[in-house]
Amino acid sequence: MMLRTNLARMFGALSATNEAILRAKSEDELFQRVCDAAVFGGKFLGTGMLLADGSGRLRCVAGAGLGVDTLKNADNASSVHADSDDGTGLAPSAFRTGRSFVSNDYTNDERTKRWHVQARQIGARSAAAVPIKRHEKPIGVLLFYLEQPDALNEETVGLLERMAENASFALDNFDRDKATARITRMFAALTATNEAIMRARSEDEMFTRVCEATVEQGKLLGAAIFLPEPDTTWFRLAAQASVYPEITASLRFSCDPAIPQGQGMGGTAFRTGKPCLSNDVPNDPRSRPWLPLVEKAGLAACAVFPLSAGARTVGVMYFFFGGGDRLDDEMTALMGRIVENVSFGLDGLTQEAEPSAAERQKERIARLLAALGATNEAIMRATTREELFRRVCEAAVLGGDFTSTVIALARPDDEFLKVVAAAGPGRDRVIDLRLSAHAHHPEGLGVTGIAMRTRKACISNDYLADFPVNSHFYNRARDRATMSGAALPLMRGGEALGALLFLSRERNAFTPELTELLQRLADNVAFALENFERADAKTIADQRIEYLASHDSLTDLPNRESFNQLLHFAIESARRQDRQLAVLFIDLDRFKVINDSLGHDAGDRLLAEIGARLRRSVARLRRRRPAWR
């Protein structure tokens, strides 16, 4: 009888936890709501959420019920290391192994000897520690206390594990939300820096505008550009925008690896020509010479990228982040694009000083820079993939003065691409263009097919003369006076998912500088497609969390919370209509025999099958029910 009562309490805690996950808007709120749900919904004696900190100890960040004050006492934090005196308890063991640990006689369990006095004070006789995970890796433990001995069996522990799994799922969803917000900010910064570079008339103005746009739109602690001081190994601050400008201004570093100030991220990035990143600046050995500055500014993450002009590294750009940001691959890629734009701007300013530069090409690049900003804005504003494709094609045509711009995507189980958008004077003649990524089709021998197969830009600056590359499209190109063409793959995870095709009436239209800009445009489109996929994944995750709050995750039947709501509505409806109401109770006898003899997997399959049969039976009854008159 006691086990059945405990099981009912566990189901109540699971239902309350799912509702808590649905309502929580932050991690701290989630942790507290889960603990409250366990104590008040499941009638636990006490519950605590313990997270591992940077020193290797489990510290209580939330709790409810008896014993919470003891858990939150810093002196009672447990070590996660097995060789420590306080690392043998249930919580450290669960954290290290990633599986649950249980004690049904807590005050006599040798593993929990250190906490026997506190347990007797609150009357705890049973306990369980269940790992909380983030992206499949343990980050802490949910600790449960009960007042009865022998209160936990495999079935009840399984329900506790489902509570922890659902909380872990919610944490992953918070991470997805944060990542999306970070990336959106950095993409806004990228768009703003494009405009800043286009408007700048000097190197100093460009540096200042870029730093200001990055900080304002990206919501960073700061951004700064440093250039080498002539005839020394030290760097000078060329431009900055910062929450703490006096701290950035006092940053001094060198590229000499023989001194501590040359072993930091700035000097290393300049010497190697490669980015340097850190998600834990205060504890990064490269930050030691500047630790007082780091602590004063509250700097948590930092990225340093080399700036180049031509083939030379001419400086570095710093990005400073506070505690809420982490540098992942997508954030790093966006910062890299900002720095590439600055480097491109440096090249443009150099060419502008040369009287031999082609004015028409300069004008085209300027227009295309504006188009690149317009496509970035399109990416931010587009609410559907179709709108994104249309906006990008229109912006590219206006900026680059192309006769046609086409986006074509690969289709599953089809060797031919689908043209999803086109723009330009020749739009009506290319919207039905038949393209392939496969060389055994004539439609796959052009620049688009080559770009898809090689995963690199394919340029034809004399379209009619390039045989056999464009032989299949020769007549079409001749009739439409197409003289140049460029195709750039849309990449995701090393695979080409489609291509951007540009056609021009000018020979030699696609210079290296223009092609580089078009490549950035293609990269931005590919990034936007990934954003749509992330948004789709988040929508699915949100729907899953909402579903978990009202349904049992094993049987997919409405849970106790849903039952209570439906029963309330049914009672109110019957009262309003002066009708009778009946409730059918179905009990499953001897279920414990199945669990004990065949195992919990068999028990879970049985419950799922019973749930499916109940749904089918109800569906048949609804189909047979006569219409009310």
Side-chain angles (χ1 to χ4, degrees):
M1 183 65 183
M2 184 184 72
L3 285 176
R4 175 167 293 190
T5 301
N6 284 339
L7 192 60
R9 287 163 46 188
M10 301 296 177
F11 270 112
L14 179 61
S15 177
T17 301
N18 289 342
E19 184 176 358
I21 290 170
L22 180 66
R23 297 180 184 278
K25 302 303 180 185
S26 67
E27 290 181 19
D28 292 341
E29 183 184 357
L30 170 70
F31 294 150
Q32 189 58 52
R33 281 182 175 271
V34 167
C35 292
D36 290 341
V39 170
F40 302 113
K43 309 302 181 185
F44 288 93
L45 193 64
T47 302
M49 178 74 75
L50 283 60
L51 297 185
D53 63 12
S55 64
R57 304 192 73 79
L58 290 171
R59 301 193 183 276
C60 183
V61 298
L66 298 179
V68 174
D69 292 340
T70 301
L71 281 176
K72 288 187 175 181
N73 188 327
D75 295 335
N76 291 323
S78 302
S79 171
V80 299
H81 303 293
D83 55 358
S84 175
D85 292 339
D86 56 358
T88 60
L90 303 182
S93 301
F95 177 81
R96 285 195 304 272
T97 63
R99 58 186 179 86
S100 302
F101 274 71
V102 176
S103 176
N104 272 311
D105 189 6
Y106 192 87
T107 53
N108 293 308
D109 193 322
E110 189 64 26
R111 298 171 298 177
T112 61
K113 186 176 181 180
R114 181 188 173 208
W115 300 277
H116 284 176
V117 173
Q118 294 94 328
R120 291 191 181 96
Q121 289 174 348
I122 65 173
R125 301 294 303 278
S126 300
V130 183
I132 290 289
K133 298 181 180 180
R134 203 172 207 144
H135 306 298
E136 303 300 323
K137 293 183 178 180
I139 62 164
V141 173
L142 258 175
L143 196 58
F144 303 93
Y145 292 110
L146 295 90
E147 56 187 339
Q148 306 96 351
D150 300 315
L152 298 164
N153 61 7
E154 290 187 26
E155 192 167 11
T156 54
V157 172
L159 290 174
L160 296 180
E161 289 173 344
R162 282 162 64 186
M163 289 173 58
E165 288 170 4
N166 292 347
S168 298
F169 181 85
L171 287 176
D172 290 348
N173 202 40
F174 280 137
D175 286 344
R176 281 189 287 270
D177 290 345
K178 290 178 181 178
T180 300
R182 288 195 301 266
I183 291 167
T184 299
R185 293 190 340 245
M186 286 306 297
F187 204 89
L190 175 62
T191 301
T193 56
N194 286 341
E195 184 175 356
I197 291 167
M198 182 180 67
R199 294 180 181 275
R201 293 294 177 262
S202 68
E203 185 178 285
D204 290 342
E205 181 186 357
M206 180 178 69
F207 289 158
T208 300
R209 282 179 176 269
V210 166
C211 289
E212 290 173 349
T214 301
V215 171
E216 181 179 350
Q217 297 298 323
K219 310 301 181 188
L220 276 65
L221 282 182
I225 292 176
F226 289 83
L227 301 179
E229 292 181 351
D231 303 320
T232 76
T233 64
W234 295 90
F235 286 74
R236 66 175 179 85
L237 178 65
Q240 70 152 325
S242 175
V243 176
Y244 305 104
E246 70 282 0
I247 294 178
T248 309
S250 62
L251 178 61
R252 289 274 292 165
F253 66 94
S254 166
C255 62
D256 183 358
I259 61 176
Q261 293 87 346
Q263 298 164 9
M265 296 171 64
T268 303
F270 185 83
R271 284 195 309 273
T272 63
K274 297 179 180 179
C276 283
L277 312 172
S278 177
N279 271 313
D280 188 8
V281 177
N283 296 308
D284 194 317
R286 296 173 294 183
S287 304
R288 285 174 186 162
W290 306 276
L291 195 56
L293 297 179
V294 169
E295 292 175 343
K296 186 176 180 180
L299 186 62
C302 180
V304 187
F305 285 76
L307 283 173
S308 62
R312 296 183 305 113
T313 301
V314 297
V316 294
M317 183 169 180
Y318 273 81
F319 299 84
F320 302 113
F321 297 86
D325 288 319
R326 284 191 60 80
L327 309 181
D328 54 21
D329 291 342
E330 288 153 323
M331 286 276 285
T332 302
L334 287 173
M335 287 185 287
R337 291 187 201 177
I338 291 174
V339 174
E340 286 174 5
N341 287 350
V342 177
S343 297
F344 185 85
L346 285 173
D347 289 339
L349 289 170
T350 302
Q351 291 176 6
E352 194 170 295
E354 298 174 0
S356 60
E359 292 299 322
R360 179 169 175 76
Q361 185 65 10
K362 284 165 52 181
E363 182 184 349
R364 169 173 275 177
I365 288 176
R367 289 202 313 269
L368 198 56
L369 269 171
L372 187 60
T375 57
N376 288 346
E377 185 175 355
I379 287 167
M380 294 176 63
R381 294 180 181 276
T383 57
T384 65
R385 291 172 174 83
E386 292 75 16
E387 181 186 358
L388 167 73
F389 298 145
R390 176 180 56 78
R391 283 176 174 265
V392 166
C393 286
E394 291 172 352
V397 163
L398 291 174
D401 193 24
F402 301 115
T403 55
S404 302
T405 300
V406 178
I407 296 178
L409 299 181
R411 291 185 284 193
D413 305 322
D414 194 332
E415 294 189 346
F416 290 91
L417 308 180
K418 179 182 180 181
V419 175
V420 295
R427 177 190 181 280
D428 294 339
R429 295 188 290 272
V430 296
I431 195 69
D432 61 345
L433 194 61
R434 188 171 167 85
L435 300 167
S436 175
H438 298 274
H440 58 268
H441 290 295
E443 296 88 346
L445 297 177
V447 291
T448 303
I450 294 173
M452 290 280 288
R453 290 193 296 278
T454 62
R455 301 175 178 83
K456 296 179 181 178
C458 183
I459 308 299
S460 175
N461 270 316
D462 194 351
Y463 202 85
L464 297 179
D466 279 345
F467 281 94
V469 173
N470 300 314
S471 58
H472 178 77
F473 305 99
Y474 181 87
N475 291 334
R476 178 190 288 263
R478 182 194 59 196
D479 295 343
R480 292 157 180 76
T482 299
M483 296 299 174
S484 300
L488 299 102
L490 300 173
M491 301 298 297
R492 181 186 61 196
E495 295 296 325
L497 54 87
L500 259 170
L501 174 64
F502 303 90
L503 300 175
S504 172
R505 288 194 178 98
E506 296 180 27
R507 283 190 178 90
N508 303 313
F510 298 98
T511 63
E513 293 83 5
L514 186 64
T515 303
E516 183 180 345
L517 283 176
L518 295 178
Q519 183 62 64
R520 292 185 201 176
L521 193 152
D523 291 342
N524 290 348
V525 173
F527 172 81
L529 291 177
E530 290 182 5
N531 262 355
F532 276 114
E533 291 182 0
R534 278 191 292 269
D536 292 343
K538 181 185 180 305
T539 298
I540 293 172
D542 289 342
Q543 291 172 348
R544 177 62 177 166
I545 288 177
E546 187 172 351
Y547 183 84
L548 285 172
S550 59
H551 288 77
D552 178 76
S553 57
L554 177 62
T555 65
D556 286 333
L557 294 175
N559 62 12
R560 182 174 304 185
E561 184 69 23
S562 294
F563 171 77
N564 288 337
Q565 292 180 5
L566 292 171
L567 181 60
H568 172 74
F569 294 148
I571 291 171
E572 291 299 318
S573 177
R575 183 178 291 123
R576 286 195 303 270
Q577 300 179 29
D578 195 23
R579 290 167 48 192
Q580 291 185 328
L581 172 72
V583 176
L584 175 65
F585 177 79
I586 301 175
D587 194 13
L588 186 62
D589 291 330
R590 296 185 295 280
F591 177 68
K592 186 175 184 301
V593 176
I594 300 295
N595 269 344
D596 292 346
S597 60
L598 300 178
H600 284 274
D601 288 342
D604 287 349
R605 289 196 299 272
L606 175 63
L607 290 175
E609 176 60 27
I610 290 172
R613 292 188 182 188
L614 286 172
R615 285 196 302 274
R616 290 196 294 270
S617 297
V618 170
R620 284 197 296 269
L621 287 172
R622 285 175 175 170
R623 287 195 296 269
R624 295 173 184 172
R625 185 176 62 187
W628 293 103
R629 289 184 173 85

